[in-house]
Amino acid sequence: MKRYLVDFKNEPCEGRYFDIVIIGAGIAGLYTALMLPKKLKIAVLSEKEIDDSDSYMAQGGIAASIGDDDRELHIKDTVNAGCYVNNAKAVKVLVDESQQAIENLIELGVNFDRDDQGNFYRSFEGNHSIPRILHVNGDSTGKGIMEVLVRDAENAHNIEIIPDVFALDIVENRGKCCGVTVFYKGRSMYFISRYCIMASGGIGQLFSKTTNVDVLTGDGIAMAIRAGVKLKDMEYVQFHPTAFYSGDTNDRLFLISEAVRGEGAVLRNMEGKRFMGEYDRRMELAPRDIVARAIFHEMNKVSSKYVYLDATMYDKDFLQNRFRQIYRECESSSIEMYRDYIPVTPAEHYFMGGIEVDLFGRTSMEGLYALGECACTGVHGANRLASNSLLEALVFGKRAAEDIYGKISCGEVCSLPELKNEDNLDEKNKEVDFDQFKRSLKVLMEKHAGIIRNTDDLKGALNIIEDKLSKMEASSLESVEAVETYNMYQVARSIVISILESKASIGSNYVENYSEHNKVLR
Ligand code: SIN
């Protein structure tokens, strides 16, 4: 395995110096930047334009325990959804600090939806015992929050948001992280820092069907793999039950928020029959892994590519107001939600695993933090409770910021090592078709590491992945596309190995050939 994707020599290579470099400009990255002291010089690196992130797309909202009465129940719902393999300490922190996170957002200027009396509108989603999900502009929660964070970060004199930077590798010297190498404006360079925060998001693009934007190729996690940083729970991949089915396409699928089912919409099979009762007593509001598997099963029974979501029990005004974005998207495909069923299919949506972190976002490498979807606090267990992800980014982002603040005065900028691979890059094989490699990986992962897994099939998949990795390692990885593809295969390899090493079929890691007693009942 290559340690560094691009060989650098220190002297001629351009470098920029910061106190903190944050890789990723979604909610986790920007919120943490704003929580850090103003005296620190911070760079927030964005792979593309800043609005090209999953954070902007987030619909449902933020689960939060406002007032003390809901805490125990929120904890219970989180661990029940997660199949009781969650990190209990992380769950307690998440719930206990949720109200503070909401208050911080309000202070920054986020306007959560409220009723005439000024109380928060609180919604239901799957496996929540009570309505506790706060939202912004109906189904535009992510956009509502991101607009405030971007504005505040752009106005902050100490924060520089830098678009079009593709992070390549974590640089370390004697075990301490001292920055990253990047491609920027057609050249390779360093961003050197006292602390680094990985907030690079998810891995949706490893699968054929995903709600994730196209930059989410697991790059931060692959950087951690190459640097030997510890990972955790890599077998837990969440499929959202209801992405809009718009024909066979390679584009990201538009999400139909779980909040639509939270308001009472039901699932119907191709015969128009409501089927969730055959799978779980909680019906459409069962945990996501259960609903996604039920839909998958119904689709397979009749070789259909979708089932239906029926929200026709509501009138047009209600639906248009509560789900503005979703209503518009359906309408653009000639579907009127108050009258027509919506074709939906499960799609990869969220990664519970990732870079292992403690309760302050600290990874196994000194000076390196990880936050948001690329990190694994263990808070979600084997299946995330709906709308706990933005909350996780906020709560642990603030904790990481406080931890860094407590340490930074004694930190020094470390000197850079020479970044050299041992292999001989003179014998480059330029024949790799990276686009084709990417496409075939998506199909492979969807088929073998998706909603239903089988360890016998996965062994074959692992061989294919390893063969492709060797081919890429023998080639030169000098473009963003090449590096992205290599990253995708590295992360895929780690996911497949984790599934093969897993002992039980739990939550989102549903392994059909494991024996019945290994299946967790909730
Ligand atoms: C949704 O709106 O269904 C997505 C929210 C989430 O993923 O938690």
PDB file of all heavy atoms in Angstrom, residues 231-267:
ATOM      1  N   LEU A 231      -9.678   2.794  12.567  1.00  0.00           N
ATOM      2  CA  LEU A 231     -11.064   2.919  12.107  1.00  0.00           C
ATOM      3  C   LEU A 231     -11.952   2.076  13.025  1.00  0.00           C
ATOM      4  O   LEU A 231     -11.470   1.266  13.805  1.00  0.00           O
ATOM      5  CB  LEU A 231     -11.207   2.405  10.679  1.00  0.00           C
ATOM      6  CG  LEU A 231     -10.268   2.976   9.627  1.00  0.00           C
ATOM      7  CD1 LEU A 231     -10.567   2.363   8.265  1.00  0.00           C
ATOM      8  CD2 LEU A 231     -10.388   4.496   9.544  1.00  0.00           C
ATOM      9  N   LYS A 232     -13.283   2.251  12.857  1.00  0.00           N
ATOM     10  CA  LYS A 232     -14.207   1.491  13.704  1.00  0.00           C
ATOM     11  C   LYS A 232     -15.532   1.283  12.978  1.00  0.00           C
ATOM     12  O   LYS A 232     -15.936   2.127  12.177  1.00  0.00           O
ATOM     13  CB  LYS A 232     -14.437   2.324  14.980  1.00  0.00           C
ATOM     14  CG  LYS A 232     -15.231   1.622  16.075  1.00  0.00           C
ATOM     15  CD  LYS A 232     -15.236   2.516  17.324  1.00  0.00           C
ATOM     16  CE  LYS A 232     -16.448   2.310  18.180  1.00  0.00           C
ATOM     17  NZ  LYS A 232     -16.723   0.954  18.593  1.00  0.00           N
ATOM     18  N   ASP A 233     -16.169   0.187  13.256  1.00  0.00           N
ATOM     19  CA  ASP A 233     -17.547  -0.087  12.791  1.00  0.00           C
ATOM     20  C   ASP A 233     -17.708   0.041  11.281  1.00  0.00           C
ATOM     21  O   ASP A 233     -18.760   0.490  10.792  1.00  0.00           O
ATOM     22  CB  ASP A 233     -18.554   0.858  13.475  1.00  0.00           C
ATOM     23  CG  ASP A 233     -18.733   0.529  14.949  1.00  0.00           C
ATOM     24  OD1 ASP A 233     -18.215  -0.503  15.408  1.00  0.00           O
ATOM     25  OD2 ASP A 233     -19.418   1.312  15.636  1.00  0.00           O
ATOM     26  N   MET A 234     -16.710  -0.356  10.527  1.00  0.00           N
ATOM     27  CA  MET A 234     -16.731  -0.136   9.077  1.00  0.00           C
ATOM     28  C   MET A 234     -17.807  -0.965   8.367  1.00  0.00           C
ATOM     29  O   MET A 234     -18.103  -0.738   7.191  1.00  0.00           O
ATOM     30  CB  MET A 234     -15.363  -0.432   8.469  1.00  0.00           C
ATOM     31  CG  MET A 234     -14.276   0.527   8.883  1.00  0.00           C
ATOM     32  SD  MET A 234     -14.508   2.193   8.267  1.00  0.00           S
ATOM     33  CE  MET A 234     -14.090   2.031   6.539  1.00  0.00           C
ATOM     34  N   GLU A 235     -18.404  -1.919   9.044  1.00  0.00           N
ATOM     35  CA  GLU A 235     -19.437  -2.737   8.394  1.00  0.00           C
ATOM     36  C   GLU A 235     -20.821  -2.085   8.405  1.00  0.00           C
ATOM     37  O   GLU A 235     -21.733  -2.559   7.735  1.00  0.00           O
ATOM     38  CB  GLU A 235     -19.512  -4.129   9.045  1.00  0.00           C
ATOM     39  CG  GLU A 235     -19.988  -4.190  10.495  1.00  0.00           C
ATOM     40  CD  GLU A 235     -18.870  -4.014  11.525  1.00  0.00           C
ATOM     41  OE1 GLU A 235     -17.926  -3.251  11.256  1.00  0.00           O
ATOM     42  OE2 GLU A 235     -18.970  -4.610  12.606  1.00  0.00           O
ATOM     43  N   TYR A 236     -20.973  -0.980   9.133  1.00  0.00           N
ATOM     44  CA  TYR A 236     -22.316  -0.408   9.295  1.00  0.00           C
ATOM     45  C   TYR A 236     -22.602   0.721   8.288  1.00  0.00           C
ATOM     46  O   TYR A 236     -22.185   1.861   8.473  1.00  0.00           O
ATOM     47  CB  TYR A 236     -22.504   0.104  10.724  1.00  0.00           C
ATOM     48  CG  TYR A 236     -22.400  -0.989  11.770  1.00  0.00           C
ATOM     49  CD1 TYR A 236     -21.696  -0.784  12.954  1.00  0.00           C
ATOM     50  CD2 TYR A 236     -23.017  -2.230  11.583  1.00  0.00           C
ATOM     51  CE1 TYR A 236     -21.604  -1.787  13.913  1.00  0.00           C
ATOM     52  CE2 TYR A 236     -22.928  -3.231  12.538  1.00  0.00           C
ATOM     53  CZ  TYR A 236     -22.212  -3.001  13.696  1.00  0.00           C
ATOM     54  OH  TYR A 236     -22.119  -3.986  14.652  1.00  0.00           O
ATOM     55  N   VAL A 237     -23.320   0.359   7.242  1.00  0.00           N
ATOM     56  CA  VAL A 237     -23.673   1.315   6.177  1.00  0.00           C
ATOM     57  C   VAL A 237     -25.201   1.453   6.169  1.00  0.00           C
ATOM     58  O   VAL A 237     -25.912   0.454   6.075  1.00  0.00           O
ATOM     59  CB  VAL A 237     -23.221   0.787   4.801  1.00  0.00           C
ATOM     60  CG1 VAL A 237     -23.575   1.771   3.695  1.00  0.00           C
ATOM     61  CG2 VAL A 237     -21.716   0.491   4.794  1.00  0.00           C
ATOM     62  N   GLN A 238     -25.685   2.681   6.266  1.00  0.00           N
ATOM     63  CA  GLN A 238     -27.145   2.861   6.341  1.00  0.00           C
ATOM     64  C   GLN A 238     -27.758   3.181   4.980  1.00  0.00           C
ATOM     65  O   GLN A 238     -27.306   4.104   4.288  1.00  0.00           O
ATOM     66  CB  GLN A 238     -27.477   3.999   7.307  1.00  0.00           C
ATOM     67  CG  GLN A 238     -28.975   4.198   7.488  1.00  0.00           C
ATOM     68  CD  GLN A 238     -29.287   5.105   8.665  1.00  0.00           C
ATOM     69  OE1 GLN A 238     -29.083   6.319   8.597  1.00  0.00           O
ATOM     70  NE2 GLN A 238     -29.790   4.534   9.750  1.00  0.00           N
ATOM     71  N   PHE A 239     -28.776   2.418   4.632  1.00  0.00           N
ATOM     72  CA  PHE A 239     -29.564   2.706   3.433  1.00  0.00           C
ATOM     73  C   PHE A 239     -30.847   3.415   3.862  1.00  0.00           C
ATOM     74  O   PHE A 239     -31.558   2.921   4.737  1.00  0.00           O
ATOM     75  CB  PHE A 239     -29.882   1.408   2.674  1.00  0.00           C
ATOM     76  CG  PHE A 239     -28.726   0.965   1.830  1.00  0.00           C
ATOM     77  CD1 PHE A 239     -27.567   0.479   2.432  1.00  0.00           C
ATOM     78  CD2 PHE A 239     -28.760   1.067   0.450  1.00  0.00           C
ATOM     79  CE1 PHE A 239     -26.467   0.114   1.661  1.00  0.00           C
ATOM     80  CE2 PHE A 239     -27.669   0.709  -0.323  1.00  0.00           C
ATOM     81  CZ  PHE A 239     -26.519   0.228   0.283  1.00  0.00           C
ATOM     82  N   HIS A 240     -31.097   4.569   3.262  1.00  0.00           N
ATOM     83  CA  HIS A 240     -32.356   5.264   3.562  1.00  0.00           C
ATOM     84  C   HIS A 240     -33.455   4.558   2.783  1.00  0.00           C
ATOM     85  O   HIS A 240     -33.285   4.264   1.591  1.00  0.00           O
ATOM     86  CB  HIS A 240     -32.256   6.731   3.141  1.00  0.00           C
ATOM     87  CG  HIS A 240     -33.334   7.596   3.712  1.00  0.00           C
ATOM     88  ND1 HIS A 240     -34.647   7.484   3.325  1.00  0.00           N
ATOM     89  CD2 HIS A 240     -33.299   8.562   4.656  1.00  0.00           C
ATOM     90  CE1 HIS A 240     -35.366   8.369   3.994  1.00  0.00           C
ATOM     91  NE2 HIS A 240     -34.578   9.033   4.816  1.00  0.00           N
ATOM     92  N   PRO A 241     -34.590   4.275   3.423  1.00  0.00           N
ATOM     93  CA  PRO A 241     -35.618   3.501   2.722  1.00  0.00           C
ATOM     94  C   PRO A 241     -36.227   4.217   1.519  1.00  0.00           C
ATOM     95  O   PRO A 241     -36.606   3.565   0.543  1.00  0.00           O
ATOM     96  CB  PRO A 241     -36.695   3.288   3.800  1.00  0.00           C
ATOM     97  CG  PRO A 241     -36.000   3.505   5.105  1.00  0.00           C
ATOM     98  CD  PRO A 241     -34.914   4.490   4.838  1.00  0.00           C
ATOM     99  N   THR A 242     -36.306   5.540   1.565  1.00  0.00           N
ATOM    100  CA  THR A 242     -37.128   6.198   0.540  1.00  0.00           C
ATOM    101  C   THR A 242     -36.376   7.301  -0.225  1.00  0.00           C
ATOM    102  O   THR A 242     -36.515   8.483   0.074  1.00  0.00           O
ATOM    103  CB  THR A 242     -38.421   6.790   1.159  1.00  0.00           C
ATOM    104  OG1 THR A 242     -38.054   7.707   2.197  1.00  0.00           O
ATOM    105  CG2 THR A 242     -39.320   5.707   1.742  1.00  0.00           C
ATOM    106  N   ALA A 243     -35.600   6.853  -1.217  1.00  0.00           N
ATOM    107  CA  ALA A 243     -35.056   7.818  -2.182  1.00  0.00           C
ATOM    108  C   ALA A 243     -36.001   7.797  -3.381  1.00  0.00           C
ATOM    109  O   ALA A 243     -36.593   6.765  -3.691  1.00  0.00           O
ATOM    110  CB  ALA A 243     -33.657   7.413  -2.595  1.00  0.00           C
ATOM    111  N   PHE A 244     -36.106   8.944  -4.041  1.00  0.00           N
ATOM    112  CA  PHE A 244     -37.030   9.051  -5.177  1.00  0.00           C
ATOM    113  C   PHE A 244     -36.499   8.215  -6.345  1.00  0.00           C
ATOM    114  O   PHE A 244     -35.345   8.368  -6.757  1.00  0.00           O
ATOM    115  CB  PHE A 244     -37.124  10.522  -5.581  1.00  0.00           C
ATOM    116  CG  PHE A 244     -38.144  10.798  -6.644  1.00  0.00           C
ATOM    117  CD1 PHE A 244     -39.496  10.851  -6.329  1.00  0.00           C
ATOM    118  CD2 PHE A 244     -37.755  11.020  -7.963  1.00  0.00           C
ATOM    119  CE1 PHE A 244     -40.432  11.100  -7.309  1.00  0.00           C
ATOM    120  CE2 PHE A 244     -38.692  11.276  -8.942  1.00  0.00           C
ATOM    121  CZ  PHE A 244     -40.039  11.315  -8.614  1.00  0.00           C
ATOM    122  N   TYR A 245     -37.320   7.321  -6.863  1.00  0.00           N
ATOM    123  CA  TYR A 245     -36.891   6.508  -8.015  1.00  0.00           C
ATOM    124  C   TYR A 245     -37.251   7.247  -9.296  1.00  0.00           C
ATOM    125  O   TYR A 245     -38.425   7.461  -9.592  1.00  0.00           O
ATOM    126  CB  TYR A 245     -37.556   5.125  -7.991  1.00  0.00           C
ATOM    127  CG  TYR A 245     -37.182   4.324  -9.221  1.00  0.00           C
ATOM    128  CD1 TYR A 245     -35.937   3.711  -9.312  1.00  0.00           C
ATOM    129  CD2 TYR A 245     -38.037   4.246 -10.322  1.00  0.00           C
ATOM    130  CE1 TYR A 245     -35.547   3.032 -10.452  1.00  0.00           C
ATOM    131  CE2 TYR A 245     -37.663   3.561 -11.467  1.00  0.00           C
ATOM    132  CZ  TYR A 245     -36.416   2.961 -11.521  1.00  0.00           C
ATOM    133  OH  TYR A 245     -36.028   2.295 -12.653  1.00  0.00           O
ATOM    134  N   SER A 246     -36.241   7.631 -10.054  1.00  0.00           N
ATOM    135  CA  SER A 246     -36.539   8.399 -11.270  1.00  0.00           C
ATOM    136  C   SER A 246     -35.950   7.700 -12.486  1.00  0.00           C
ATOM    137  O   SER A 246     -35.376   8.350 -13.359  1.00  0.00           O
ATOM    138  CB  SER A 246     -35.984   9.811 -11.129  1.00  0.00           C
ATOM    139  OG  SER A 246     -34.635   9.746 -10.758  1.00  0.00           O
ATOM    140  N   GLY A 247     -36.036   6.377 -12.503  1.00  0.00           N
ATOM    141  CA  GLY A 247     -35.464   5.638 -13.627  1.00  0.00           C
ATOM    142  C   GLY A 247     -34.014   5.310 -13.332  1.00  0.00           C
ATOM    143  O   GLY A 247     -33.468   5.731 -12.306  1.00  0.00           O
ATOM    144  N   ASP A 248     -33.398   4.548 -14.214  1.00  0.00           N
ATOM    145  CA  ASP A 248     -32.000   4.174 -13.998  1.00  0.00           C
ATOM    146  C   ASP A 248     -31.117   5.370 -14.292  1.00  0.00           C
ATOM    147  O   ASP A 248     -31.133   5.920 -15.374  1.00  0.00           O
ATOM    148  CB  ASP A 248     -31.624   3.005 -14.914  1.00  0.00           C
ATOM    149  CG  ASP A 248     -32.345   1.747 -14.467  1.00  0.00           C
ATOM    150  OD1 ASP A 248     -32.556   1.597 -13.239  1.00  0.00           O
ATOM    151  OD2 ASP A 248     -32.717   0.933 -15.331  1.00  0.00           O
ATOM    152  N   THR A 249     -30.373   5.761 -13.290  1.00  0.00           N
ATOM    153  CA  THR A 249     -29.528   6.939 -13.444  1.00  0.00           C
ATOM    154  C   THR A 249     -28.279   6.765 -12.609  1.00  0.00           C
ATOM    155  O   THR A 249     -28.292   6.059 -11.608  1.00  0.00           O
ATOM    156  CB  THR A 249     -30.286   8.213 -12.994  1.00  0.00           C
ATOM    157  OG1 THR A 249     -29.346   9.254 -12.812  1.00  0.00           O
ATOM    158  CG2 THR A 249     -31.025   8.017 -11.674  1.00  0.00           C
ATOM    159  N   ASN A 250     -27.211   7.407 -13.018  1.00  0.00           N
ATOM    160  CA  ASN A 250     -25.992   7.368 -12.200  1.00  0.00           C
ATOM    161  C   ASN A 250     -25.917   8.547 -11.245  1.00  0.00           C
ATOM    162  O   ASN A 250     -25.010   8.655 -10.447  1.00  0.00           O
ATOM    163  CB  ASN A 250     -24.747   7.387 -13.098  1.00  0.00           C
ATOM    164  CG  ASN A 250     -24.642   6.097 -13.875  1.00  0.00           C
ATOM    165  OD1 ASN A 250     -25.009   5.032 -13.367  1.00  0.00           O
ATOM    166  ND2 ASN A 250     -24.184   6.184 -15.117  1.00  0.00           N
ATOM    167  N   ASP A 251     -26.912   9.444 -11.336  1.00  0.00           N
ATOM    168  CA  ASP A 251     -26.863  10.627 -10.485  1.00  0.00           C
ATOM    169  C   ASP A 251     -27.337  10.281  -9.082  1.00  0.00           C
ATOM    170  O   ASP A 251     -27.990   9.269  -8.866  1.00  0.00           O
ATOM    171  CB  ASP A 251     -27.800  11.712 -11.042  1.00  0.00           C
ATOM    172  CG  ASP A 251     -27.321  12.176 -12.392  1.00  0.00           C
ATOM    173  OD1 ASP A 251     -26.142  11.941 -12.707  1.00  0.00           O
ATOM    174  OD2 ASP A 251     -28.149  12.750 -13.122  1.00  0.00           O
ATOM    175  N   ARG A 252     -27.021  11.185  -8.140  1.00  0.00           N
ATOM    176  CA  ARG A 252     -27.524  10.971  -6.780  1.00  0.00           C
ATOM    177  C   ARG A 252     -29.045  10.973  -6.806  1.00  0.00           C
ATOM    178  O   ARG A 252     -29.660  11.670  -7.646  1.00  0.00           O
ATOM    179  CB  ARG A 252     -26.989  12.042  -5.825  1.00  0.00           C
ATOM    180  CG  ARG A 252     -27.568  13.427  -6.025  1.00  0.00           C
ATOM    181  CD  ARG A 252     -27.085  14.397  -4.965  1.00  0.00           C
ATOM    182  NE  ARG A 252     -27.896  14.309  -3.777  1.00  0.00           N
ATOM    183  CZ  ARG A 252     -29.026  14.982  -3.581  1.00  0.00           C
ATOM    184  NH1 ARG A 252     -29.481  15.813  -4.498  1.00  0.00           N
ATOM    185  NH2 ARG A 252     -29.700  14.841  -2.468  1.00  0.00           N
ATOM    186  N   LEU A 253     -29.622  10.200  -5.905  1.00  0.00           N
ATOM    187  CA  LEU A 253     -31.078  10.140  -5.870  1.00  0.00           C
ATOM    188  C   LEU A 253     -31.600  11.184  -4.883  1.00  0.00           C
ATOM    189  O   LEU A 253     -31.021  11.378  -3.814  1.00  0.00           O
ATOM    190  CB  LEU A 253     -31.554   8.751  -5.445  1.00  0.00           C
ATOM    191  CG  LEU A 253     -31.095   7.573  -6.301  1.00  0.00           C
ATOM    192  CD1 LEU A 253     -31.799   6.290  -5.879  1.00  0.00           C
ATOM    193  CD2 LEU A 253     -31.358   7.823  -7.771  1.00  0.00           C
ATOM    194  N   PHE A 254     -32.680  11.801  -5.255  1.00  0.00           N
ATOM    195  CA  PHE A 254     -33.283  12.812  -4.388  1.00  0.00           C
ATOM    196  C   PHE A 254     -33.956  12.107  -3.206  1.00  0.00           C
ATOM    197  O   PHE A 254     -34.674  11.119  -3.369  1.00  0.00           O
ATOM    198  CB  PHE A 254     -34.311  13.622  -5.191  1.00  0.00           C
ATOM    199  CG  PHE A 254     -34.938  14.713  -4.382  1.00  0.00           C
ATOM    200  CD1 PHE A 254     -34.267  15.909  -4.187  1.00  0.00           C
ATOM    201  CD2 PHE A 254     -36.177  14.529  -3.784  1.00  0.00           C
ATOM    202  CE1 PHE A 254     -34.827  16.916  -3.414  1.00  0.00           C
ATOM    203  CE2 PHE A 254     -36.746  15.536  -3.007  1.00  0.00           C
ATOM    204  CZ  PHE A 254     -36.065  16.725  -2.831  1.00  0.00           C
ATOM    205  N   LEU A 255     -33.726  12.656  -2.006  1.00  0.00           N
ATOM    206  CA  LEU A 255     -34.280  12.016  -0.804  1.00  0.00           C
ATOM    207  C   LEU A 255     -35.737  12.417  -0.571  1.00  0.00           C
ATOM    208  O   LEU A 255     -36.092  13.590  -0.731  1.00  0.00           O
ATOM    209  CB  LEU A 255     -33.445  12.459   0.407  1.00  0.00           C
ATOM    210  CG  LEU A 255     -33.820  11.820   1.739  1.00  0.00           C
ATOM    211  CD1 LEU A 255     -33.443  10.355   1.761  1.00  0.00           C
ATOM    212  CD2 LEU A 255     -33.145  12.557   2.889  1.00  0.00           C
ATOM    213  N   ILE A 256     -36.550  11.428  -0.235  1.00  0.00           N
ATOM    214  CA  ILE A 256     -37.893  11.759   0.264  1.00  0.00           C
ATOM    215  C   ILE A 256     -37.819  11.531   1.775  1.00  0.00           C
ATOM    216  O   ILE A 256     -37.824  10.396   2.265  1.00  0.00           O
ATOM    217  CB  ILE A 256     -38.993  10.866  -0.356  1.00  0.00           C
ATOM    218  CG1 ILE A 256     -38.917  10.886  -1.899  1.00  0.00           C
ATOM    219  CG2 ILE A 256     -40.366  11.288   0.145  1.00  0.00           C
ATOM    220  CD1 ILE A 256     -39.325  12.180  -2.563  1.00  0.00           C
ATOM    221  N   SER A 257     -37.745  12.619   2.510  1.00  0.00           N
ATOM    222  CA  SER A 257     -37.444  12.571   3.944  1.00  0.00           C
ATOM    223  C   SER A 257     -38.321  11.593   4.714  1.00  0.00           C
ATOM    224  O   SER A 257     -39.514  11.445   4.439  1.00  0.00           O
ATOM    225  CB  SER A 257     -37.625  13.975   4.528  1.00  0.00           C
ATOM    226  OG  SER A 257     -37.495  13.932   5.914  1.00  0.00           O
ATOM    227  N   GLU A 258     -37.696  10.990   5.723  1.00  0.00           N
ATOM    228  CA  GLU A 258     -38.439  10.127   6.638  1.00  0.00           C
ATOM    229  C   GLU A 258     -39.551  10.919   7.352  1.00  0.00           C
ATOM    230  O   GLU A 258     -40.518  10.354   7.851  1.00  0.00           O
ATOM    231  CB  GLU A 258     -37.445   9.587   7.670  1.00  0.00           C
ATOM    232  CG  GLU A 258     -37.968   8.455   8.489  1.00  0.00           C
ATOM    233  CD  GLU A 258     -36.824   7.568   8.983  1.00  0.00           C
ATOM    234  OE1 GLU A 258     -35.909   7.249   8.212  1.00  0.00           O
ATOM    235  OE2 GLU A 258     -36.875   7.199  10.152  1.00  0.00           O
ATOM    236  N   ALA A 259     -39.383  12.231   7.388  1.00  0.00           N
ATOM    237  CA  ALA A 259     -40.405  13.070   8.016  1.00  0.00           C
ATOM    238  C   ALA A 259     -41.751  12.930   7.292  1.00  0.00           C
ATOM    239  O   ALA A 259     -42.815  13.149   7.888  1.00  0.00           O
ATOM    240  CB  ALA A 259     -39.953  14.522   8.008  1.00  0.00           C
ATOM    241  N   VAL A 260     -41.718  12.539   6.017  1.00  0.00           N
ATOM    242  CA  VAL A 260     -42.989  12.347   5.287  1.00  0.00           C
ATOM    243  C   VAL A 260     -43.732  11.162   5.903  1.00  0.00           C
ATOM    244  O   VAL A 260     -44.939  11.226   6.170  1.00  0.00           O
ATOM    245  CB  VAL A 260     -42.737  12.135   3.772  1.00  0.00           C
ATOM    246  CG1 VAL A 260     -44.030  11.924   3.013  1.00  0.00           C
ATOM    247  CG2 VAL A 260     -41.985  13.330   3.182  1.00  0.00           C
ATOM    248  N   ARG A 261     -42.985  10.085   6.190  1.00  0.00           N
ATOM    249  CA  ARG A 261     -43.621   8.964   6.920  1.00  0.00           C
ATOM    250  C   ARG A 261     -43.944   9.384   8.351  1.00  0.00           C
ATOM    251  O   ARG A 261     -44.931   8.959   8.926  1.00  0.00           O
ATOM    252  CB  ARG A 261     -42.701   7.743   6.907  1.00  0.00           C
ATOM    253  CG  ARG A 261     -42.823   6.916   5.638  1.00  0.00           C
ATOM    254  CD  ARG A 261     -41.804   5.802   5.608  1.00  0.00           C
ATOM    255  NE  ARG A 261     -40.487   6.310   5.306  1.00  0.00           N
ATOM    256  CZ  ARG A 261     -39.366   5.988   5.944  1.00  0.00           C
ATOM    257  NH1 ARG A 261     -39.387   5.121   6.925  1.00  0.00           N
ATOM    258  NH2 ARG A 261     -38.210   6.514   5.603  1.00  0.00           N
ATOM    259  N   GLY A 262     -43.098  10.250   8.918  1.00  0.00           N
ATOM    260  CA  GLY A 262     -43.351  10.745  10.274  1.00  0.00           C
ATOM    261  C   GLY A 262     -44.683  11.467  10.373  1.00  0.00           C
ATOM    262  O   GLY A 262     -45.347  11.462  11.408  1.00  0.00           O
ATOM    263  N   GLU A 263     -45.096  12.099   9.270  1.00  0.00           N
ATOM    264  CA  GLU A 263     -46.393  12.799   9.263  1.00  0.00           C
ATOM    265  C   GLU A 263     -47.538  11.848   8.944  1.00  0.00           C
ATOM    266  O   GLU A 263     -48.703  12.234   8.971  1.00  0.00           O
ATOM    267  CB  GLU A 263     -46.383  13.936   8.232  1.00  0.00           C
ATOM    268  CG  GLU A 263     -45.424  15.071   8.547  1.00  0.00           C
ATOM    269  CD  GLU A 263     -45.859  15.951   9.721  1.00  0.00           C
ATOM    270  OE1 GLU A 263     -46.991  15.787  10.223  1.00  0.00           O
ATOM    271  OE2 GLU A 263     -45.040  16.788  10.147  1.00  0.00           O
ATOM    272  N   GLY A 264     -47.224  10.596   8.566  1.00  0.00           N
ATOM    273  CA  GLY A 264     -48.305   9.622   8.355  1.00  0.00           C
ATOM    274  C   GLY A 264     -48.354   8.949   6.993  1.00  0.00           C
ATOM    275  O   GLY A 264     -49.218   8.106   6.757  1.00  0.00           O
ATOM    276  N   ALA A 265     -47.438   9.291   6.105  1.00  0.00           N
ATOM    277  CA  ALA A 265     -47.447   8.629   4.786  1.00  0.00           C
ATOM    278  C   ALA A 265     -47.137   7.139   4.962  1.00  0.00           C
ATOM    279  O   ALA A 265     -46.427   6.753   5.898  1.00  0.00           O
ATOM    280  CB  ALA A 265     -46.409   9.276   3.866  1.00  0.00           C
ATOM    281  N   VAL A 266     -47.658   6.316   4.066  1.00  0.00           N
ATOM    282  CA  VAL A 266     -47.480   4.859   4.203  1.00  0.00           C
ATOM    283  C   VAL A 266     -46.827   4.282   2.938  1.00  0.00           C
ATOM    284  O   VAL A 266     -46.855   4.899   1.874  1.00  0.00           O
ATOM    285  CB  VAL A 266     -48.834   4.146   4.468  1.00  0.00           C
ATOM    286  CG1 VAL A 266     -49.468   4.655   5.752  1.00  0.00           C
ATOM    287  CG2 VAL A 266     -49.794   4.288   3.290  1.00  0.00           C
ATOM    288  N   LEU A 267     -46.251   3.076   3.104  1.00  0.00           N
ATOM    289  CA  LEU A 267     -45.604   2.397   1.976  1.00  0.00           C
ATOM    290  C   LEU A 267     -46.553   1.385   1.362  1.00  0.00           C
ATOM    291  O   LEU A 267     -47.256   0.666   2.092  1.00  0.00           O
ATOM    292  CB  LEU A 267     -44.338   1.691   2.470  1.00  0.00           C
ATOM    293  CG  LEU A 267     -43.192   2.629   2.856  1.00  0.00           C
ATOM    294  CD1 LEU A 267     -42.164   1.910   3.733  1.00  0.00           C
ATOM    295  CD2 LEU A 267     -42.517   3.218   1.609  1.00  0.00           C
TER     296      LEU A 267
END
